[in-house]
């Protein structure tokens, strides 16, 4: 798991990102906020940044100010802190996934669920690494097909893994996998929000 995740993050940082998000227009002004392929803010002048900070102070609630101000003041620092914290957070949620699996398969010990969770996440990181490598083709069509293949591959692999390890019927595997995926999505959202808050709090 550690090797697979390390290779993935190194690969994701090294290869060119062809998935360019659309520019966002700041309300009340013509300034556009654009991210490049590496997640860096571009096209935002010092005047636009100062105007954005002023609007945040005037209109945003206190909790939004705590997040937005560090991002606007030091976008590179925020990005660096976020990327340094994210792998640790992802590692920390693996036992949570094992606990969720344990809710639906209670006849196994937690350590067995944990080994299964580590194995499953390692396989996912390997698949995501292969997907990132397809960006070296510089073709959006190839990258889109790789994205689709990765989603289908991860889904199929997870279902087959649950079926083989826990020896349940396909109907029960599908039902339990959907429930686990939904609960784990909530955990992932909470972990992402926590990472954002941490990256801004240590600014």
């Amino acid at each position: 798991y550690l090797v697979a995740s390390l290779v993935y993050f190194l690969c994701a940082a090294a290869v060119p990102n062809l998935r360019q998000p659309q520019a966002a227009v700041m309300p009340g002004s013509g300034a556009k906020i654009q991210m490049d392929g590496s997640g860096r803010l571009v096209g935002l002048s010092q005047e636009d940044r100062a105007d954005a900070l002023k609007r945040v102070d005037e209109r945003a609630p206190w909790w939004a100010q705590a997040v937005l101000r560090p991002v606007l003041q030091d976008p590179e620092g925020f990005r660096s802190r976020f990327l340094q914290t994210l792998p640790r957070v992802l590692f920390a949620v693996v036992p949570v996934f094992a606990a969720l699996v344990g809710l639906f398969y209670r006849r196994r010990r937690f350590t067995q669920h944990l080994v299964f969770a580590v194995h499953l996440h390692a396989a996912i990181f390997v698949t995501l690494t292969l997907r990132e490598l397809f960006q070296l083709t510089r073709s959006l069509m190839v990258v889109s097909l790789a994205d689709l293949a990765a989603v289908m591959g991860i889904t199929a692999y997870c279902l087959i893994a649950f079926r083989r390890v826990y020896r349940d019927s396909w109907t029960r595997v599908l039902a339990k996998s959907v429930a686990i995926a939904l609960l784990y999505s909530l955990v992932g959202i909470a972990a992402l929000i926590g990472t954002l808050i941490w990256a801004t709090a240590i600014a």
Side-chain angles (χ1 to χ4, degrees), residues 13-76:
V15 301
N17 191 348
L18 300 181
R19 308 176 190 90
Q20 295 283 353
Q22 295 183 351
V25 179
M26 290 175 51
S29 69
K32 293 184 178 182
I33 302 178
Q34 175 71 53
M35 282 188 176
D36 62 10
S38 301
R40 296 181 174 87
L41 293 177
V42 295
L44 195 63
S45 65
Q46 291 295 332
E47 293 77 11
D48 294 335
R49 196 187 308 276
D51 182 58
L53 285 169
K54 181 180 179 182
R55 293 178 184 276
V56 166
D57 291 336
E58 293 176 350
R59 302 180 182 181
W62 65 268
W63 53 268
Q65 292 182 21
V67 175
L68 293 175
R69 286 190 63 84
V71 176
L72 291 170
Q73 289 175 337
D74 184 18
E76 284 297 319

Side-chain angles (χ1 to χ4, degrees), residues 2 40 47 63 92 132 152 155 179:
L2 293 176
R40 296 181 174 87
E47 293 77 11
W63 53 268
E132 291 295 326
M152 295 176 61
T155 302

